[in-house]
Amino acid sequence: MAEKKTWFYRINQWISFLFCKLYFRISAVGLEHIPKTGPVLLVSNHASYLDPFLDAVLLSRPVKFMARHDLWNKKLLAWWIPRVGGFPIRRDIFDRQAVKMTLDYLARGEIVVIYPEGTRSIDGKLKPGLPGVGLIAYKSQAPVIPVYIDGSFAAYPRYAKFPKPKKITVYYGPPINLKTEYQLPDEKETYRIIVSKIMDAIRTLSPRGE
């Protein structure tokens, strides 16, 4: 059974929403595409540290998301991140434990955010996706919702020290139709086909087609 929002999650979401609304004038398009119940795999572009907050701040359901494992080396973050839905992933290897956790969350009916590019974009443009995301989609067969965050790179790119008050819009697309791909063999080439289709769906949501 999916988890409900804890009081700590609610407070963090409210603070994040207030900040994002006032500072970034955040808005969303396509929220109606998010299922009210059941598992959801949100696949989003990744151009800023802000993205996990931006993907989730306007959603009525709690969200799980991957965060790089070395953030757990800092005591405050190690305490805080799991309480707002984060779980660790190693980016230097194929992290089977992170994949298992993702599949477990989806099996319990949770929303999980994944960044198919694997890391933040250096120039703000969408990069090729990693096949591990295709594996998760194939194994879970959960609804896959593409997301494009427009403005997060301008607001807070990789090497910036502080975020700028730039307008941010989050675009949620309709579920990606992967019925044909789910009939293909359970192998790496199938995962690559799936992730390619996922990246095309994310790109379609970009106002500039990036």
Side-chain angles (χ1 to χ4, degrees):
M1 181 179 294
E3 297 177 7
K4 296 182 179 180
K5 292 181 182 179
T6 64
W7 65 268
F8 188 84
Y9 188 101
R10 290 178 184 276
I11 289 173
N12 275 266
Q13 186 177 31
W14 183 83
I15 292 172
S16 298
F17 171 78
L18 190 62
F19 175 73
C20 290
K21 198 68 176 177
L22 295 176
Y23 198 70
F24 301 123
R25 294 166 288 138
I26 190 172
S27 62
V29 176
L31 281 171
E32 69 275 8
H33 296 306
I34 308 296
K36 301 297 184 184
T37 60
V40 180
L41 188 61
L42 292 182
V43 287
S44 175
N45 66 315
H46 195 18
S48 171
Y49 271 135
L50 298 170
D51 294 336
F53 303 98
L54 300 170
D55 280 318
V57 72
L58 296 173
L59 300 185
S60 60
R61 296 175 59 186
V63 169
K64 304 292 185 182
F65 64 93
M66 293 180 179
R68 70 173 198 260
H69 74 284
D70 58 342
L71 294 176
W72 270 255
N73 295 336
K74 300 178 181 180
K75 290 184 178 179
L76 180 59
L77 291 178
W79 176 85
W80 178 72
I81 293 175
R83 286 168 172 78
V84 294
F87 59 99
I89 180 172
R90 293 184 62 93
R91 297 187 300 183
D92 55 336
I93 60 170
F94 177 70
D95 193 336
R96 297 182 183 277
Q97 180 61 25
V99 170
K100 182 181 182 303
M101 289 182 69
T102 302
L103 292 172
D104 286 347
Y105 282 133
L106 291 169
R108 284 159 42 184
E110 305 281 3
I111 296 180
V112 182
V113 177
I114 291 184
Y115 300 100
E117 296 162 278
T119 188
R120 286 168 294 150
S121 171
I122 295 176
D123 58 8
K125 295 182 179 180
L126 201 61
K127 298 296 185 286
L130 301 176
V133 178
L135 181 152
I136 291 170
Y138 186 93
K139 295 290 189 182
S140 69
Q141 299 200 13
V144 180
I145 305 292
V147 185
Y148 188 87
I149 304 173
D150 183 49
S152 66
F153 181 78
Y156 198 23
R158 181 184 284 262
Y159 299 111
K161 292 184 177 180
F162 301 101
K164 300 175 183 178
K166 300 290 186 178
K167 168 66 178 171
I168 291 175
T169 304
V170 185
Y171 296 90
Y172 299 91
I176 303 171
N177 185 347
L178 295 169
K179 290 181 180 179
T180 299
E181 287 73 18
Y182 290 157
Q183 302 304 313
L184 297 175
D186 185 357
E187 60 186 23
K188 287 185 179 179
E189 182 58 28
T190 297
Y191 307 153
R192 293 190 184 97
I193 292 170
I194 290 173
V195 79
S196 177
K197 194 167 183 178
I198 285 173
M199 300 313 292
D200 287 343
I202 295 173
R203 187 174 293 105
T204 299
L205 295 174
S206 168
R208 292 168 298 280
E210 296 176 343

